[in-house]
Amino acid sequence: MVTKVSPSGIDIDELTVLNLGDTPSSYGTTGQVLAVNAEADGLTFQTVSGGGTTAFVDLTDGPGSLGTAGQYVAMNSGATALEFISPPTIPTVKDDFTDLDDTPANYSGAANKFVQVNSGGTGLEFAEGTELGLSLLNLSDTPDNYSTADGKFLQYDADTATTRFEDINGSITPSLISFHDLNKTPAQSAVNNGKFLRQKSDNSYDLEWVSVSSGATTLLGLSDTPASYGTAGQYLKVNDAETGFVYETLHPHPPIIMEVFPQETTVTSGTNKYSFRMPYAAVLTGIRASVNNGPNGGPLVVDVNAGGTSVIGANKLTIDNNETTSQTSDVTIELATTNLTDDQLISVDVDTVNGSPTGLKVTLLLD
């Protein structure tokens, strides 16, 4: 069963546009359309003014006609309407120099000539080299001829801003000019014997003779070398400040590097992990250790023995956690034994290992 609900006393079957609260109460006139009213709070019937067109020529901002064949539609100069225009003329592409409008028409008779602007300034033309001023005599600030110029030099005259042919120093012939006859050089004199030539410091660019004091004749006389020859066997090296030289004794024995564990091999603890016999007697001055990958979770501790006895004091050689060299360790070692004898057995013990360090090397520094 269907029950009809009638809001405000109106049967739902009788509801129309005219019965709504924001629509007109009548249908207006033929052709009107619904539109939002001026107050924007409801709808009203309005008449649509004007009509469309189906032809380009009927547009109010169009040309009014179809123009001529091949024309294009474009905005007019005032940007207010459309108009027909003819397509632009495409210029002819010119491939050769002689095809241009302002150049000679051909190369006939122009061999070895140059290109210059014509007298009217309207184009280019071919010209002889002499017409271009390639000769010294054709230039505007040089002499007109070589008459009486034999053996003379070209000299600039600042007063006239021109050049002219002149003798050098009057009667002096070019073949006899000496260094002392030049304008910027000092006069020749016996008092200058043994002196050196230098440029003056007064910005005149003139040259002058000066005496130079004699320098050191021995190594000890230099300002950046030691004042004595040191001891026998020493050699010179640049000092730490990089300001001069100092003497240093050359170590007679190179360091001995022991590869206790190869580069990619994991270090394990234990005694006598590496051993060899000294090839000569030497003085032990220091010990270092390094690894390829550092220990993790704690240090790596190493001991070195000579003849079965540790050469290191109570603090053993240590590589700290996540470090790769004993040089950065907070643990300082002291050597208990420094004199190593020829053919003495040297061995390495690994006392403590943390993590999986690899590639242990121990270096003996010798003197």
Side-chain angles (χ1 to χ4, degrees), residues 184-220:
K184 295 291 185 178
T185 56
Q188 186 174 8
S189 173
V191 298
N192 295 320
N193 291 345
K195 293 184 178 181
F196 295 85
L197 192 66
R198 73 175 182 187
Q199 182 174 294
K200 289 184 176 180
S201 59
D202 57 3
N203 295 325
S204 65
Y205 302 109
D206 290 348
L207 301 178
E208 64 180 351
W209 296 109
V210 294
S211 299
V212 178
S213 58
S214 58
T217 58
T218 66
L219 179 71
L220 304 183

Side-chain angles (χ1 to χ4, degrees), residues 7-30:
S8 302
I10 301 175
D11 193 301
I12 195 168
D13 289 337
E14 296 176 356
L15 288 176
T16 66
V17 171
L18 304 180
N19 292 329
L20 301 178
D22 57 355
T23 59
S25 59
S26 66
Y27 284 111
T29 60
T30 302

Side-chain angles (χ1 to χ4, degrees), residues 12-324:
I12 195 168
D13 289 337
E14 296 176 356
L15 288 176
T16 66
V17 171
L18 304 180
N19 292 329
L20 301 178
D22 57 355
T23 59
S25 59
S26 66
Y27 284 111
T29 60
T30 302
Q32 286 187 314
V33 296
L34 276 175
V36 178
N37 60 26
E39 292 77 15
D41 59 3
L43 299 176
T44 184
F45 283 110
Q46 292 185 5
T47 301
V48 178
S49 61
T53 180
T54 59
F56 174 75
V57 295
D58 293 332
L59 297 176
T60 59
D61 58 353
S65 67
L66 293 180
T68 60
Q71 286 188 310
Y72 294 88
V73 177
M75 183 67 68
N76 63 19
S77 59
T80 59
L82 301 175
E83 63 180 357
F84 282 109
I85 63 170
S86 299
T89 303
I90 300 176
T92 303
V93 177
K94 298 179 179 181
D95 298 322
D96 297 326
F97 175 76
T98 53
D99 291 335
L100 301 177
D101 297 334
D102 56 353
T103 58
N106 55 68
Y107 294 104
S108 178
N112 298 317
K113 291 186 178 182
F114 297 87
V115 177
Q116 70 174 10
V117 178
N118 60 26
S119 59
T122 58
L124 302 176
E125 64 181 0
F126 291 120
E128 299 287 350
T130 54
E131 297 178 48
L132 301 178
L134 298 182
S135 170
L136 176 70
L137 303 180
N138 289 332
L139 301 179
S140 60
D141 56 354
T142 58
D144 297 330
N145 57 71
Y146 293 111
S147 176
T148 69
D150 185 33
K152 295 183 179 181
F153 292 83
L154 195 63
Q155 185 180 60
Y156 177 73
D157 187 341
D159 295 330
T160 62
T162 60
T163 54
R164 62 174 182 267
F165 292 115
E166 288 288 345
D167 287 330
I168 299 298
N169 291 340
S171 61
I172 299 177
T173 59
S175 59
L176 298 179
I177 293 176
S178 68
F179 173 77
H180 301 284
D181 296 322
L182 301 177
N183 291 335
K184 295 291 185 178
T185 56
Q188 186 174 8
S189 173
V191 298
N192 295 320
N193 291 345
K195 293 184 178 181
F196 295 85
L197 192 66
R198 73 175 182 187
Q199 182 174 294
K200 289 184 176 180
S201 59
D202 57 3
N203 295 325
S204 65
Y205 302 109
D206 290 348
L207 301 178
E208 64 180 351
W209 296 109
V210 294
S211 299
V212 178
S213 58
S214 58
T217 58
T218 66
L219 179 71
L220 304 183
L222 300 177
S223 61
D224 54 357
T225 56
S228 66
Y229 286 114
T231 59
Q234 287 187 310
Y235 64 97
L236 280 175
K237 78 166 187 177
V238 177
N239 60 26
D240 293 337
E242 298 182 353
T243 57
F245 290 92
V246 294
Y247 283 112
E248 185 168 293
T249 301
L250 180 65
H251 295 293
H253 304 300
I256 295 176
I257 301 175
M258 297 178 285
E259 188 178 44
V260 182
F261 288 88
Q263 190 80 349
E264 302 299 331
T265 302
T266 301
V267 179
T268 58
S269 62
T271 61
N272 199 27
K273 289 294 183 177
Y274 184 94
S275 65
F276 79 100
R277 289 190 175 275
M278 284 293 297
Y280 43 74
V283 176
L284 181 64
T285 60
I287 303 177
R288 297 179 181 181
S290 64
V291 288
N292 185 31
N293 292 311
N296 183 268
L300 171 65
V301 181
V302 178
D303 194 9
V304 177
N305 308 294
T309 302
S310 176
V311 298
I312 307 175
N315 294 330
K316 302 304 180 182
L317 195 61
T318 302
I319 298 177
D320 290 339
N321 182 40
N322 293 323
E323 298 290 332
T324 58

